[in-house]
Amino acid sequence: MLDLEKELRQEPFVVDGFVDRLTWWATQGQANKDEFDPNSLEETFEDSLRQLKSLSDKNKKAIEECENACQRVEAEEKKRLLKLEEEHMMAANQFHSLDAKIHRISAKAVALGEQLENVNVPRARLVEARTLIKYFHEFMSDDHLTSEVFTDPYQLLAAADIIQKLYNLSIELPNNEKFQRAKQKISKKYEEIEDELIRTFLTAQHENDRETMKTYVATLSTFKLGYTRCIDGFIEEIQQGAYFRDVFSDIVPLCERASQLIDDVFAISESVMTKLVVTIFKTKLQVHIQQQLDTKTENLDLYLTTLYELFKKTRQVSTQLSVFKIANDPEFLPHLQQNVFEKHLERYFTNECKNLTEKCHSHLDGHYSFIGHQKKTLPSAQGLSDALRREFQARLGGSGTDGHLGADLVSPDTATLLLDESKSALKRIQLLCKPKDQPRAAAEIMKIVVHSLIEEHLAYALQITIWAIPSVQLFDQHVIYDILPLVSGSEHHAECIQRKKDVLERLESLIAQGIDKTLSAIVAWVKALLTAEQKRSDFKPEAIHDAGNVLQSPTCGKVVAFMNHQIKKVKVVLDGKNLEVVSTELGARFHRVLYDHMLRFEYNEIGGMLAICDLNEYRKCARELKSPLAEQLFEILHSLCNLLVVAAENVPQVIKDEHLSGLDKTVIVAFIQLRADYKTARLQHVVR
């Protein structure tokens, strides 16, 4: 028989599953076969229903019993709660009654206290006045003080209180003979007690008795100079034995120890800590700095280096001290530091310029001395030809000692030394000069470096080299007219011609390298200028009024001005075929920089127009080179820029332009992709 009660208690209970299991049990799993007996199934269902009804009745009875039990418990709890509520109300009433009685009693106590105070205050004042009159009478007499409060050292605080009141009283008395002696005795005793209070305070400080120190500080704060002298003595005492190593290393640990002690002892700790730091800077640190710098005055470079290191250490100390309670002004410590170095900072920059100039001259003189060169003043243009001839003839005769003619005059090592000196000076300027003075100081340093490195070293070497170039012509004429006739017909004739050819080719190669580096420097500057100045927003203005001056961008104006200046220089120093070759190379490199630069941006329609305006200015500049290749390259670049502004539907037609038809498709696609509407206008498949 299926356990119906167990089946009903299954979780979750599913009726369909229960019926299926009952059917299976009644038919023994034969429900779908031919021998199925429906009567057996009916009997099983009827029997199960009877059992279910019996279980239902049983459960109903159990439920009724539980409900009755709950009702009984509920009734009992209600009775208990009602009883508790009554007890609570009684307690609340008693509390209110008691509170009212307390208020009445406290009001009477306050009134009684006020009455007692009204009676006691005048009485206390009278007692105090009587006591003061008693002590004042003692000071009025010619005898020594006999009161125990003034003779017993253990009653120092009581004596301090009394003498303070007597001193204030004596100030109010008239200056006549009757009170003069008493006032003098009071003043003298006042100073004695003040001194004794300070000595006792310092003794307590030495023994680290902070409670005693705090007590005596409070007492001394009522004295005329006692509090100030107390702080001075405290600062002097706490510095005793505090400096063992370097002053800079000892200051912060000293202040850390002092800070906690000051917080525990002094009511206004911030002012005491501030005075301690000022004292350390003005007495210990400033003296140490002065001693260090006084020994370096003979060596200006060493003096500046030491000044920099000392200032740097002082700033580090100031930064570490900023965590303590020192004034409320964030500029207090920097200002204090400036005051410590004021004497040296007044003439710092003058010394810096003088030192840099001397160091640069020293390095240059050392270099020229090392290569055996005697620096000379170059001749004027009028006497240049004769000077060249004399110089060349002197070298052929072996009488000259300077055989360099610029070959060794330029030294990267010397240039590095000069720049290192400049970097050191600039590093010191950043620390020692005020922020508002740093730009002017840096500009002065640049003037010195330009004069020493560029004018006195590089420009001088270039002038010597240029001066020597006509010597090549003298050498060529010398070989043709003086040497070749002597070797004509001999085996050395071909050797001399070949040697002359090799030398001239080598010189031409060196000149070509110099020109190549010059062209690289020109285009590198153009690239740097474009990268630094040109903004992405220049070619994506929202409206035409955002475009500003549509003739050219400010960056374009700077580039064009620079290139025009360089092109003029090229035309001055070159001519003929050399000018043609160099102009073509410069135009090609200029074009390449602009081409790469334009590929960095995205253009809307107005931005494309601005780009074409800039390009037109660049083309005008390139035309000055008179190079057909450069002209052709800029024409092609102009056609590519047209792809940025034409309507999307006209792009396929523009691609067939004569300047673009022969270009690689990747170049054309690269420019089309720069359009802001490249995706929205579906231009991806224009070039196939």
Side-chain angles (χ1 to χ4, degrees):
M1 183 65 183
L2 186 65
D3 190 349
L4 296 180
E5 187 173 357
K6 182 178 179 181
E7 287 288 332
L8 292 173
R9 291 178 178 174
Q10 289 185 1
E11 292 293 341
F13 176 75
V14 181
V15 176
D16 292 342
F18 170 71
V19 173
D20 289 341
R21 287 192 298 276
L22 185 62
T23 302
W24 184 88
W25 181 84
T27 62
Q28 297 297 319
Q30 305 296 325
N32 296 325
K33 297 184 179 181
D34 295 337
E35 59 271 18
F36 166 66
D37 184 6
N39 294 326
S40 175
L41 180 61
E42 182 182 7
E43 292 175 0
T44 301
F45 277 3
E46 289 176 351
D47 185 53
S48 298
L49 288 172
R50 285 192 295 272
Q51 292 183 43
L52 290 173
K53 188 175 184 306
S54 175
L55 287 173
S56 175
D57 294 341
K58 181 180 178 181
N59 288 336
K60 285 181 180 179
K61 185 177 180 180
I63 291 171
E64 289 176 358
E65 291 177 354
C66 289
E67 287 178 347
N68 292 333
C70 289
Q71 290 173 359
R72 288 195 300 272
V73 172
E74 182 181 3
E76 293 175 356
E77 291 297 323
K78 283 183 178 179
K79 291 179 180 179
R80 192 170 68 85
L81 287 174
L82 288 173
K83 183 179 180 180
L84 290 174
E85 186 176 1
E86 291 176 358
E87 293 176 353
H88 174 73
M89 291 295 296
M90 292 177 61
N93 292 334
Q94 292 176 355
F95 172 79
H96 289 305
S97 176
L98 182 61
D99 186 58
K101 291 179 180 179
I102 291 173
H103 278 294
R104 287 195 298 273
I105 293 172
S106 62
K108 292 180 180 179
V110 170
L112 182 59
E114 290 177 350
Q115 292 175 3
L116 291 173
E117 184 178 2
N118 292 334
V119 174
N120 187 61
V121 169
R123 180 177 178 278
R125 289 177 178 173
L126 289 173
V127 171
E128 182 180 357
R130 178 178 177 278
T131 303
L132 286 178
I133 292 172
K134 171 188 171 185
Y135 289 121
F136 185 77
H137 179 72
E138 189 172 349
F139 279 96
M140 288 283 292
S141 68
D142 295 334
D143 299 331
H144 296 291
L145 299 176
T146 58
S147 296
E148 185 179 1
V149 71
F150 293 121
T151 58
D152 186 0
Y154 295 100
Q155 297 189 43
L156 180 61
L157 294 177
D161 180 60
I162 294 171
I163 199 66
Q164 175 67 29
K165 294 175 180 177
L166 288 174
Y167 182 79
N168 292 335
L169 177 63
S170 68
I171 295 176
E172 302 296 330
L173 296 175
N175 293 322
N176 53 36
E177 295 181 0
K178 181 178 180 181
F179 299 109
Q180 190 64 31
R181 181 171 176 77
K183 293 177 69 173
Q184 290 176 353
K185 290 177 67 176
I186 291 173
S187 178
K188 181 179 179 181
K189 193 62 179 178
Y190 180 89
E191 293 175 357
E192 291 176 357
I193 292 177
E194 184 180 68
D195 292 341
E196 188 61 30
L197 287 171
I198 293 173
R199 280 195 296 270
T200 307
F201 170 83
L202 295 178
T203 301
Q205 179 182 353
H206 186 71
E207 297 172 354
N208 198 27
D209 186 353
R210 303 191 179 193
E211 289 300 323
T212 301
M213 293 173 65
K214 188 174 182 180
T215 301
Y216 279 84
V217 165
T219 302
L220 283 165
S221 63
T222 61
F223 280 71
K224 182 174 60 174
L225 299 176
Y227 189 71
T228 302
R229 291 179 59 197
C230 176
I231 293 174
D232 293 340
F234 170 82
I235 292 173
E236 183 178 353
E237 174 66 24
I238 203 168
Q239 291 187 84
Q240 294 297 324
Y243 304 104
F244 299 99
R245 305 162 293 174
D246 177 46
V247 174
F248 297 98
S249 303
D250 295 327
I251 289 177
V252 176
L254 168 62
C255 290
E256 288 176 349
R257 295 193 304 271
S259 177
Q260 185 60 48
L261 182 58
I262 290 171
D263 288 341
D264 292 343
V265 173
F266 294 93
I268 308 176
S269 58
E270 183 179 306
S271 62
V272 181
M273 193 67 193
T274 301
K275 190 168 185 179
L276 172 62
V277 172
V278 171
T279 303
I280 292 172
F281 270 67
K282 290 291 187 180
T283 58
K284 195 67 181 179
L285 191 58
Q286 189 168 21
V287 171
H288 173 75
I289 290 169
Q290 190 63 44
Q291 290 173 348
Q292 291 291 315
L293 293 175
D294 284 346
T295 60
K296 313 292 191 307
T297 53
E298 298 299 324
N299 186 332
L300 190 55
D301 185 56
L302 182 58
Y303 169 83
L304 292 173
T305 302
T306 305
L307 176 62
Y308 171 80
E309 293 298 331
L310 291 173
F311 195 92
K312 183 178 179 182
K313 289 181 179 180
T314 306
R315 172 170 287 186
Q316 291 172 350
V317 170
S318 299
T319 302
Q320 292 174 303
L321 293 179
S322 62
V323 300
F324 299 111
K325 297 177 182 179
I326 303 175
N328 291 321
D329 185 5
E331 296 298 320
F332 174 77
L333 285 172
H335 182 68
L336 181 61
Q337 178 178 334
Q338 289 293 125
N339 288 342
V340 170
F341 287 90
E342 184 176 11
K343 174 183 175 182
H344 303 280
L345 295 180
E346 286 178 352
R347 58 180 187 273
Y348 156 68
F349 188 62
T350 302
N351 289 334
E352 187 68 77
C353 293
K354 179 181 178 183
N355 178 64
L356 181 59
T357 303
E358 291 177 353
K359 295 289 286 185
C360 289
H361 287 168
S362 175
H363 289 311
L364 291 177
D365 292 343
H367 168 64
Y368 294 136
S369 176
F370 176 75
I371 64 175
H373 173 73
Q374 179 65 41
K375 194 171 182 182
K376 61 194 71 178
T377 302
L378 298 180
S380 62
Q382 183 176 1
L384 181 60
S385 178
D386 294 338
L388 287 172
R389 187 173 293 104
R390 288 195 302 271
E391 178 77 8
F392 184 71
Q393 290 174 351
R395 296 177 189 280
L396 289 178
S399 60
T401 59
D402 185 359
H404 304 281
L405 276 178
D408 297 328
L409 291 179
V410 177
S411 169
D413 292 338
T414 302
T416 301
L417 289 173
L418 298 182
L419 294 177
D420 287 342
E421 295 292 347
S422 174
K423 291 177 182 178
S424 298
L426 291 172
K427 184 171 67 172
R428 289 192 288 265
I429 284 172
Q430 288 179 316
L431 186 68
L432 300 175
C433 282
K434 295 179 180 179
K436 64 183 182 65
D437 296 331
Q438 289 180 10
R440 179 185 63 83
E444 290 297 323
I445 294 298
M446 182 178 177
K447 288 181 182 179
I448 297 173
V449 174
V450 167
H451 177 75
S452 300
L453 178 59
I454 305 302
E455 297 178 6
E456 294 294 323
H457 188 51
L458 299 180
Y460 172 74
L462 289 173
Q463 289 173 344
I464 290 290
T465 304
I466 294 171
W467 183 31
I469 289 176
S471 299
V472 177
Q473 298 175 347
L474 296 177
F475 169 74
D476 187 49
Q477 295 174 4
H478 175 68
V479 171
I480 293 173
Y481 296 113
D482 298 331
I483 296 178
L484 289 183
L486 295 178
V487 298
S488 179
S490 70
E491 58 183 7
H492 297 289
H493 183 267
E495 177 186 350
C496 291
I497 292 177
Q498 185 62 40
R499 181 170 296 176
K500 179 174 79 75
K501 180 181 177 183
D502 293 342
V503 168
L504 294 179
E505 287 178 351
R506 180 171 176 271
L507 290 175
E508 288 179 359
S509 175
L510 292 174
I511 294 173
Q513 291 178 20
I515 293 175
D516 181 72
K517 290 181 179 180
T518 302
L519 297 181
S520 298
I522 292 173
V523 296
W525 177 253
V526 172
K527 182 178 180 180
L529 190 60
L530 291 170
T531 303
E533 300 282 342
Q534 199 91 66
K535 300 177 182 177
R536 294 187 179 276
S537 58
D538 289 351
F539 299 118
K540 287 190 71 176
E542 296 298 328
I544 189 64
H545 59 78
D546 296 331
N549 180 13
V550 297
L551 296 178
Q552 66 180 34
S553 66
T555 306
C556 173
K558 294 180 181 180
V559 171
V560 169
F562 173 75
M563 285 301 298
N564 284 333
H565 180 71
Q566 301 306 317
I567 291 171
K568 290 179 181 178
K569 290 287 186 180
V570 170
K571 291 182 177 180
V572 169
V573 299
L574 297 174
D575 58 8
K577 191 67 175 178
N578 291 331
L579 177 60
E580 180 182 338
V581 172
V582 171
S583 297
T584 300
E585 182 64 21
L586 179 58
R589 296 191 187 191
F590 183 40
H591 164 269
R592 184 66 194 185
V593 169
L594 295 175
Y595 174 81
D596 292 339
H597 175 68
M598 299 188 76
L599 290 177
R600 296 174 53 238
F601 299 94
E602 186 179 82
Y603 305 82
N604 58 17
E605 184 176 358
I606 299 174
M609 294 171 58
L610 295 175
I612 291 177
C613 290
D614 280 1
L615 183 60
N616 287 334
E617 296 300 318
Y618 295 138
R619 288 175 66 189
K620 292 178 183 178
C621 177
R623 287 194 189 103
E624 297 298 321
L625 293 169
K626 310 296 183 183
S627 169
L629 176 61
E631 183 70 24
Q632 182 182 2
L633 290 173
F634 275 89
E635 285 289 345
I636 295 173
L637 186 57
H638 186 272
S639 298
L640 288 171
C641 287
N642 284 334
L643 294 173
L644 304 174
V645 297
V646 298
E649 58 271 15
N650 295 333
V651 170
Q653 181 179 354
V654 175
I655 292 175
K656 298 177 182 179
D657 179 83
E658 60 175 330
H659 293 109
L660 301 181
S661 59
L663 288 181
D664 190 295
K665 292 182 179 180
T666 57
V667 176
I668 298 175
V669 170
F671 261 81
I672 296 176
Q673 289 176 342
L674 301 179
R675 293 173 60 114
D677 63 348
Y678 174 69
K679 293 183 179 179
T680 57
R682 301 182 181 277
L683 296 173
Q684 297 92 328
H685 306 295
V686 169
V687 182
R688 297 181 180 177

